[in-house]
Amino acid sequence: MTGDTDNKFLNVGLLIIATLLVAKLISTLIMPRSQKRLPPVIKGWPLIGGLIRFLKGPIVMLREEYPKLGSVFTVNLVNRKITFLIGPEVSAHFFKAPEVDLSQQEVYQFNVPTFGPGVVFDVDYSIRQEQFRFFTEALRVNKLKGYVDQMVVEAEDYFSKWGDSGVVDIKYELEHVIILTASRCLLGREVRDKLFDDVSALFHDLDNGMLPISVLFPYLPIPAHRRRDRARKKLADIFASIINSRKCASESENDMLQCFIESKYKDGRPTTESEVTGLLIAALFAGQHTSSITSTWTGAYLLRHNEYLSAVLEEQKNLMKKHGNKVDHDILSEMDVLYRCIKEALRLHPPLIMLLRSSHSDFSVTTRDGKEYDIPKGHIVATSPAFANQLPHVFKDPDSYDPDRFSYGREEDKAAGAFSYISFGGGRHGCLGEPFAYLQIKAIWSHLLRNFELELISPFPEIDWNAMVVGVKDKVMVRYKRRELSVN
């Protein structure tokens, strides 16, 4: 009896195996073979894939894999696949694709607890586009002109507190003057004049609540997230009071807060207090760190390269001969040499080292050497300004500091196409605050150049790869001596 049972199980088992083999054979013969030309995959352990290497530092991983795999490759991170598109030849779709094909929303969900409900990545694309229109209107040239006047006053006031000579950590100083400037231009007079210390402390808690683990688990009940959530609630209360006060006032202020209060959606609906607060927080987060980091790198490179320091000083002298000591929006716009120095610092050290999208449809890319790859729906798609900005086929001697690479006739930032230089992103999702950032950094550095002799006395700074927004590691010590720049 037992023998019959065993034979029966054996026969059933053989029948199942035979059925599976026949099904596989039929599917191979009948079903069309996949024609997809998938990108090469970075080797990694089963299940966790390339997670360990990725967490050690994506730039290190890119430097190792790009020479072997080329400009398109995939890394497996547990249950997700990230496909990198490196270089202007393969990244056009990344920057130009509509939201229905490549979406920001899913990959930037970790911002929602910080920015708050009902804004940016917590709303569908149509609402987000309207909110981005509010940013655009708040950063129009006629608005920027007023902001510049405030930037100049803030810089003059801040550096008037320096002595005739001394030693400072220029990184610390620039961080502080930029938060003051941003507070005045973005958050408004009430915050800058009366509530600066309180609001700065709350923003500090918000900032410290955005950790690498927050990207994967934004609602994890850890102390940093609890402080973040408390700070977000207190900021909402502060701005609700300011917004109500402004709505009752007869006069209008010239700042981003006022623009957001007066903004209306296409259906005529005004912005709510919660939306205004969230949009302001998003604006400050987008601009504060990036501007202070870029200001610091700009100064470090100028003080290390005498030929470019001499060039920006000469430019300041020429502008002073032409305009006197006046500095406004139009005069800052004439500072082409300083602009190129800032742009080159930003090429070498973009604060956002990775940009991400979620792919909702299949698409194909063709590399520089003619290879074609199909990127499947469901992949996270990434590009890296920090890596792409130093490709040798785009930028000559990419590791060297050479602001003249952007001068008329060379224009290396356009040499390989529209997305050769991507420190501010590009295409549909290019940074709306780019003009504001350049004006802010120019206003601060033109004041320093005109009023102080500066000398870098600490070693040239290193990169702090551990931060969410990649900045400058340790202090940047500078010796200063007060003097007025002579135009003769």
Side-chain angles (χ1 to χ4, degrees), residues 30-320:
I30 296 176
M31 299 293 287
R33 186 171 292 179
S34 172
Q35 298 298 311
K36 285 193 171 173
R37 303 150 299 182
L38 296 175
V41 179
I42 291 177
K43 292 177 182 176
W45 295 95
L47 296 179
I48 60 171
L51 181 64
I52 294 172
R53 290 185 65 197
F54 186 82
L55 291 177
K56 283 183 179 177
I59 299 302
V60 174
M61 183 185 74
L62 293 177
R63 283 177 182 154
E64 291 171 353
E65 298 298 337
Y66 177 85
K68 294 186 283 186
L69 303 179
S71 57
V72 182
F73 50 85
T74 299
V75 57
N76 294 325
L77 301 184
V78 191
N79 64 333
R80 304 303 298 267
K81 296 178 187 294
I82 298 185
T83 294
F84 282 91
L85 306 175
I86 304 297
E89 300 83 8
V90 293
S91 60
H93 184 75
F94 181 93
F95 292 111
K96 291 162 71 173
E99 186 78 5
V100 292
D101 292 333
L102 282 184
S103 169
Q104 287 183 309
Q105 187 152 4
E106 296 90 339
V107 291
Y108 291 123
Q109 277 294 300
F110 64 89
N111 288 298
V112 171
T114 302
F115 297 169
V119 294
V120 193
F121 301 114
D122 191 48
V123 293
D124 65 39
Y125 181 62
S126 60
I127 300 293
R128 187 156 74 252
Q129 282 300 96
E130 291 206 60
Q131 292 177 350
F132 284 166
R133 174 170 58 82
F134 302 159
F135 281 108
T136 302
E137 289 170 357
L139 293 168
R140 290 192 188 282
V141 170
N142 64 324
K143 296 287 184 185
L144 287 173
K145 288 186 174 184
Y147 298 161
V148 166
D149 295 340
Q150 296 164 9
M151 294 171 185
V152 171
V153 168
E154 288 291 348
E156 289 173 351
D157 181 59
Y158 187 86
F159 295 113
S160 70
K161 298 178 176 64
W162 282 12
D164 290 333
S165 62
V167 174
V168 293
D169 174 7
I170 199 73
K171 173 183 160 185
Y172 173 92
E173 301 294 323
L174 291 169
E175 284 173 355
H176 280 71
V177 73
I178 276 172
I179 186 66
L180 287 166
T181 305
S183 292
R184 183 62 190 87
C185 298
L186 308 182
L187 307 182
R189 173 183 48 79
E190 299 91 337
V191 168
R192 174 63 187 90
D193 294 347
K194 299 174 186 174
L195 297 165
F196 178 75
D197 290 339
D198 292 343
V199 170
S200 290
L202 293 172
F203 267 107
H204 182 72
D205 284 346
L206 270 187
D207 196 19
N208 288 344
M210 196 177 281
L211 307 166
I213 197 168
S214 310
V215 176
L216 298 173
F217 306 105
Y219 298 98
L220 199 67
I222 57 176
H225 286 171
R226 290 196 190 99
R227 287 192 295 272
R228 173 200 69 194
D229 295 342
R230 283 197 297 270
R232 180 64 183 72
K233 187 176 184 309
K234 287 179 182 176
L235 279 171
D237 293 340
I238 287 171
F239 279 106
S241 173
I242 293 171
I243 292 163
N244 283 323
S245 173
R246 285 211 182 179
K247 285 180 177 177
C248 297
S250 55
E251 292 184 12
S252 178
E253 297 283 341
N254 181 34
D255 51 42
M256 190 172 276
L257 170 58
Q258 191 72 38
C259 291
F260 289 159
I261 291 171
E262 295 172 359
S263 293
K264 286 185 170 59
Y265 292 91
K266 287 178 182 175
D267 62 5
R269 178 177 77 79
T271 49
T272 65
E273 291 169 5
S274 174
E275 288 171 336
V276 170
T277 302
L279 292 172
L280 283 172
I281 290 171
L284 197 68
F285 261 77
Q288 178 202 341
H289 284 310
T290 50
S291 290
S292 64
I293 289 165
T294 304
S295 295
T296 304
W297 284 120
T298 297
Y301 277 106
L302 284 175
L303 300 182
R304 190 190 201 191
H305 295 270
N306 280 328
E307 67 273 33
Y308 292 109
L309 180 59
S310 297
V312 292
L313 287 170
E314 192 61 32
E315 179 176 65
Q316 293 299 320
K317 289 177 184 179
N318 291 335
L319 288 170
M320 290 167 74

Side-chain angles (χ1 to χ4, degrees), residues 408-423:
Y408 180 76
R410 284 182 65 180
E411 297 173 303
E412 292 179 15
D413 53 323
K414 300 172 186 172
F419 305 108
S420 301
Y421 178 93
I422 54 171
S423 292

